[in-house]
Amino acid sequence: MAKQLGRDQQGITLRGSAEIVAEFFSYGINSILYQRGIYPPETFTRVQKYGLTLLVTTDPDLKNYLNNVVEQMKEWLYKCIVQRLVVVISSIENNEVLERWQFDIECDKTAKDESAPREKSQKAIQDEIRSVIRQITATVTFLPLLETACAFDLLIYTDKDLAVPEKWEESGPQFVANSEEVRLRSFTTTIHKVNSMVAYKKDSFP
Amino acid sequence: MAQFVFEADLHGLLKLDTPIPNAPPARWQRKAKESGAPGPSPAAGVSPMKPANRSHSSSKTPSRTPGKSGSKIQSTPTKAGGDRYIPNRSTMHMEMANFLLTKENDPAEESPTKKEQQKAWAVNLNGFDIEEAKILRLSGKPQNAPEGYQNNLKVLYSQKATPGSSRKNGRYIPSMPDRILDAPEIRNDYYLNLIDWSSQNFLAVALDNSVYLWNHTSGEIIQLLQMEHPDDYVSSVSWIKEGNYLAVGTSNAEVQLWDIQQQKRLRNMTSHSSRVGSLSWNSYILSSGARTGHIHHHDVRVAEHHVATLAGHTQEVCGLKWSLDGRYLASGGNDNLVNIWPCTQGDSGDFAPVQTFTQHQGAVKAVAWCPWQSNVLATGGGTSDRHIRIWNVCSGTCLSAVDAHSQVCSILWSTNYKEFISGHGFAQNQLVVWKYPTMAKVTELRGHTARVLNLTMSPDGATVASAAADETLRLWRCFEMDPIKKKEKEKANSAKSSIIHQGIR
């Protein structure tokens, strides 16, 4: 009886941690797409997650695209070979990078499949994720307006010797020229730690 | 201007994401310069409506700001020159390819220290070690938003007054305020509640570290209090229902109670640990919301005033309102949550919210109960949300939601007409009167030159006072009762009382 951990106290395994982080990315990217107006707001629907009302897209192509990325991320997180996920927002006309959302992932390589689950309550992780997502929502108050129609790109920084899977290609870092950076909150599952930050183009008028 | 040129050059050199300025121009660049004429048939993805300024590129390379010569990429034609061999160059990484090609010409042998240095530079600039990691990108871009979709943010933040909204609404609402009062030093902080209007027709206004009372009938102004410390400020004011006591919340976590007739402080209740941004009365219970997210109930009649603590928010509580029948307390916070609290404790002895609404995407400061329909609550969200939502707190459903296109700071219901008014911020700083339940706009009241911070209503329900960051208070006569209708109402009220009299006799 004392040995049975309650559901919210079950330890975090490597696979569980990978799922939590991949799920966070899925909702985080959806939030960014909604808040920055990359896609029309009517195409988003509300779901309950992390005790918040989040907006996710209903567009089937976009959903498919994001699912591919998230599935791949889960795999790579499990193997601890992914270092960073970047959402690049660039103008469609001239491919100029306007905004860059960077999520750094620190993976504890000592955590293996067989090792004992780590102690951290689901609730604590949910609270941390909730703060990050709320911060992403609140960034609209200081990020400059995206005047032109924009498209987004997802970049993943992986270990050098990873075999490039089908559908993926190598790319450059796509930095924002003349950027202003803001560091956001981070969250950790004790196996993976995710730091977030956003870089945006400084307005040309001082 | 020379230092900007130098700086720009330095930036251009250090950042590896712009093409090398003195490199021989790439083949496509040369071609674009030569041709000069409008390019070939537009490649996929470029709509014919966007003309490329190609004719200008041959004569002069336009630069955005004077002195910025470092990044030449902005001066090349807007669409990277497509030609019949490679129609769409946007999927190629010209800069990277160019760099890698030219890099091969450099001598391969370098001293170990130089290698270390270069490695350090690379890590610094790229943010990661190129030797250790590589960047992958999912090929095949997802479908972009359909043509003609203009980025929503630009539309809503540059909204001009819509001519269609000024239609006949059946009654005349003056578009100019009745009076404009000066409110110097008013704090431009969204989270504070700095004005309140008493049932005795006194308007209390908190200006930084003092509170002033303005008598609406006589027009005279009294300074009620001034904080002792110059660094402290008043963060909220709230009148008791009878209008003889004023509760004042301060930045040093105190809740003070002042007697108006004697202009004396009766009590100084300390129980919070951070500034008290919101207050609400329920007969003798005063509820206060603080920056920590805690709400305290104070029984002002007894010495041990702190009778309950409600912990439901993780960030500042900016909206706090007891319902008119005193059964529920609605609280809105900076954590985007709306909590509905019962007036009595639950079984465990703790207060727990009967409802929590998470739909708002921004801070909820505007909270108002409907006076003629029980259990109906209106809430408004901040900049990230901009929506007004109407809830039924018993069932927990959202009855309607409307996009107000601007930060909502306050909502007030009007009993005279079945309407409510909301105060807004950027870009028009207007007050909007909405019809309930159709949610149609009755009128928009403009005049403030900076965002509206608070709204409060006169005791007769005819005038709304708005305080804004432009240091003015404007009084709008928007809910004035028609004198004929007023007489009918009074007759109806008096008729009822006479029947009762007859019965008692």
Side-chain angles (χ1 to χ4, degrees):
Chain A
M1 306 149 293
K3 295 264 170 76
Q4 282 283 42
L5 292 168
R7 194 181 171 272
D8 59 344
Q9 279 167 312
Q10 268 170 7
I12 308 290
T13 60
L14 179 56
R15 200 165 265 296
S17 175
E19 275 194 31
I20 292 174
V21 179
E23 214 179 25
F24 159 73
F25 282 133
S26 156
Y27 287 104
I29 294 170
N30 269 298
S31 295
I32 294 173
L33 294 179
Y34 172 76
Q35 290 295 340
R36 301 313 285 144
I38 313 285
Y39 289 89
E42 310 82 65
T43 61
F44 286 84
T45 178
R46 287 159 196 275
V47 297
Q48 286 287 338
K49 187 81 191 166
Y50 310 124
L52 289 176
T53 301
L54 296 175
L55 289 128
V56 293
T57 183
T58 52
D59 182 306
D61 287 323
L62 184 56
K63 257 167 81 163
N64 227 359
Y65 180 83
L66 288 178
N67 277 341
N68 279 342
V69 176
V70 166
E71 284 306 313
Q72 189 59 261
M73 279 299 286
K74 250 192 243 184
E75 271 298 312
W76 285 338
L77 281 165
Y78 179 67
K79 295 195 198 135
C80 284
I81 46 183
V82 62
Q83 300 168 359
R84 201 177 277 187
L85 175 89
V86 176
V87 182
V88 176
I89 296 176
S90 46
S91 158
I92 291 183
E93 301 168 354
N94 54 9
N95 272 344
E96 191 192 353
V97 180
L98 297 172
E99 250 175 49
R100 192 170 187 275
W101 295 77
Q102 183 170 294
F103 299 94
D104 294 324
I105 303 164
E106 281 162 29
C107 186
D108 188 350
K109 297 227 155 83
T110 62
K112 295 277 183 269
D113 218 354
E114 320 81 47
S115 56
R118 306 277 177 97
E119 287 287 323
K120 184 152 189 186
S121 73
Q122 289 273 16
K123 191 168 180 310
I125 300 177
Q126 280 219 347
D127 281 343
E128 288 178 16
I129 293 182
R130 187 181 19 224
S131 314
V132 181
I133 296 214
R134 241 192 250 132
Q135 258 197 322
I136 294 177
T137 311
T139 54
V140 72
T141 50
F142 64 83
L143 287 176
L145 291 180
L146 295 175
E147 311 259 312
T148 59
C150 293
F152 80 100
D153 244 331
L154 287 175
L155 305 178
I156 302 189
Y157 286 49
T158 61
D159 283 350
K160 178 112 180 134
D161 40 4
L162 173 68
V164 181
E166 191 187 288
K167 290 199 215 166
W168 292 81
E169 60 188 25
E170 297 213 21
S171 155
Q174 300 205 33
F175 287 119
V176 180
N178 194 25
S179 71
E180 192 83 64
E181 287 180 3
V182 175
R183 206 151 256 296
L184 303 176
R185 284 202 159 109
S186 62
F187 76 91
T188 169
T189 62
T190 66
I191 297 181
H192 290 106
K193 179 161 195 256
V194 178
N195 296 314
S196 334
M197 70 162 239
V198 58
Y200 56 96
K201 191 153 177 285
K202 247 199 288 230
D203 277 333
S204 32
F205 323 106
Chain B
M1 274 300 199
Q3 71 272 32
F4 293 130
V5 175
F6 173 69
E7 215 185 323
D9 272 341
L10 206 59
H11 273 291
L13 284 171
L14 287 177
K15 277 198 152 118
L16 291 176
D17 55 341
T18 56
I20 304 183
N22 295 323
R27 184 167 154 277
W28 56 272
Q29 276 174 329
R30 274 182 281 139
K31 269 200 113 71
K33 281 213 185 98
E34 282 166 21
S35 61
S41 56
V46 176
S47 89
M49 309 245 257
K50 301 184 187 143
N53 305 342
R54 226 160 307 199
S55 39
H56 295 296
S57 66
S58 51
S59 45
K60 160 179 94 144
T61 51
S63 43
R64 285 244 185 90
T65 48
K68 251 201 162 131
S69 55
S71 37
K72 284 252 163 58
I73 192 161
Q74 277 132 354
S75 53
T76 53
T78 48
K79 180 170 83 81
D83 53 32
R84 68 181 181 284
Y85 298 115
I86 301 170
N88 183 10
R89 289 184 186 267
S90 59
T91 52
M92 301 183 140
H93 302 282
M94 285 297 160
E95 307 85 44
M96 175 117 133
N98 195 9
F99 171 65
L100 288 171
L101 282 171
T102 50
K103 193 179 79 164
E104 272 169 18
N105 298 334
D106 295 338
E109 44 209 80
E110 287 154 347
S111 58
T113 42
K114 214 176 178 194
K115 268 207 168 122
E116 285 277 326
Q117 205 182 44
Q118 282 194 342
K119 194 167 179 185
W121 269 118
V123 172
N124 237 359
L125 292 168
N126 292 328
F128 69 100
D129 196 348
I130 265 186
E131 306 298 315
E132 297 296 319
K134 64 183 178 188
I135 307 175
L136 295 180
R137 188 179 148 267
L138 186 58
S139 50
K141 279 194 163 173
Q143 218 128 34
N144 287 330
E147 283 295 328
Y149 164 60
Q150 198 181 353
N151 191 323
N152 197 30
L153 299 175
K154 174 158 204 238
V155 172
L156 75 93
Y157 281 114
S158 54
Q159 242 206 353
K160 294 284 171 13
T162 44
S165 59
S166 53
R167 45 172 276 277
K168 284 233 177 275
N169 52 25
R171 83 167 187 274
Y172 170 64
I173 300 176
S175 58
M176 299 292 286
D178 222 24
R179 274 184 107 123
I180 302 181
L181 302 173
D182 203 22
E185 304 287 317
I186 195 167
R187 282 190 88 93
N188 182 5
D189 188 332
Y190 176 78
Y191 300 101
L192 307 182
N193 289 286
L194 300 174
I195 58 175
D196 198 16
W197 208 323
S198 78
S199 53
Q200 304 298 316
N201 226 346
F202 278 90
L203 180 61
V205 182
L207 299 179
D208 200 25
N209 59 356
S210 338
V211 173
Y212 292 87
L213 303 179
W214 181 68
N215 188 330
H216 182 70
T217 29
S218 69
E220 66 168 315
I221 301 177
I222 312 163
Q223 182 178 15
L224 179 64
L225 68 97
Q226 188 164 20
M227 302 286 294
E228 291 105 38
H229 262 280
D231 293 332
D232 290 333
Y233 56 88
V234 178
S235 47
S236 55
V237 292
S238 181
W239 288 99
I240 198 171
K241 198 168 74 149
E242 292 77 23
N244 47 355
Y245 298 126
L246 178 68
V248 175
T250 66
S251 62
N252 58 354
E254 296 171 343
V255 178
Q256 302 179 0
L257 199 59
W258 286 76
D259 183 322
I260 300 312
Q261 268 127 14
Q262 302 172 24
Q263 293 191 31
K264 246 179 51 164
R265 189 174 78 183
L266 295 174
R267 294 193 75 159
N268 189 358
M269 304 181 275
T270 47
S271 56
H272 282 292
S273 49
S274 56
R275 83 173 178 192
V276 181
S278 48
L279 296 167
S280 186
W281 284 93
N282 180 4
S283 69
Y284 52 80
I285 299 281
L286 171 64
S287 304
S288 55
R291 201 171 210 174
T292 51
H294 291 112
I295 299 169
H296 290 182
H297 286 328
H298 308 271
D299 185 334
V300 298
R301 309 166 301 179
V302 301
E304 278 300 312
H305 55 89
H306 182 189
V307 295
T309 305
L310 278 58
H313 290 281
T314 47
Q315 290 183 54
E316 180 146 30
V317 178
C318 38
L320 197 63
K321 279 277 158 52
W322 275 99
S323 65
L324 296 144
D325 52 13
R327 285 186 23 222
Y328 295 113
L329 173 66
S331 65
N334 195 23
D335 51 4
N336 310 353
L337 297 178
V338 178
N339 280 320
I340 310 291
W341 307 88
C343 54
T344 47
Q345 286 139 315
D347 296 322
S348 55
D350 271 334
F351 277 94
V354 293
Q355 298 283 0
T356 302
F357 303 130
T358 59
Q359 276 85 328
H360 279 291
Q361 301 284 313
V364 183
K365 180 179 163 192
V367 176
W369 291 92
C370 182
W372 63 87
Q373 257 192 313
S374 60
N375 305 318
V376 170
L377 176 73
T379 56
T383 314
S384 317
D385 178 68
R386 307 175 297 273
H387 278 70
I388 296 176
R389 290 178 174 271
I390 315 283
W391 312 87
N392 177 323
V393 301
C394 284
S395 62
T397 49
C398 180
L399 301 172
S400 54
V402 66
D403 189 353
H405 299 298
S406 173
Q407 173 193 65
V408 185
C409 67
S410 189
I411 295 178
L412 291 175
W413 293 85
S414 166
T415 24
N416 298 346
Y417 303 90
K418 297 259 192 293
E419 295 167 356
F420 64 88
I421 186 169
S422 58
H424 297 276
F426 186 79
Q428 296 185 57
N429 314 315
Q430 81 278 40
L431 281 76
V432 182
V433 180
W434 308 80
K435 191 99 190 107
Y436 183 76
T438 57
M439 305 300 270
K441 267 191 208 180
V442 172
T443 185
E444 295 194 29
L445 301 171
R446 286 187 199 90
H448 278 296
T449 51
R451 67 176 174 175
V452 181
L453 297 167
N454 290 111
L455 295 180
T456 184
M457 196 179 275
S458 63
D460 62 2
T463 309
V464 168
S466 60
D470 58 3
E471 297 187 339
T472 62
L473 257 83
R474 283 167 207 246
L475 274 64
W476 311 85
R477 211 166 182 77
C478 44
F479 295 125
E480 173 121 48
M481 282 286 268
D482 205 2
I484 307 165
K485 285 203 185 130
K486 219 181 197 173
K487 281 212 184 104
E488 283 178 6
K489 221 182 178 187
E490 276 168 28
K491 247 196 198 165
N493 285 341
S494 54
K496 274 192 214 141
S497 48
S498 60
I499 289 171
I500 294 171
H501 269 274
Q502 281 180 344
I504 288 174
R505 182 183 64 82

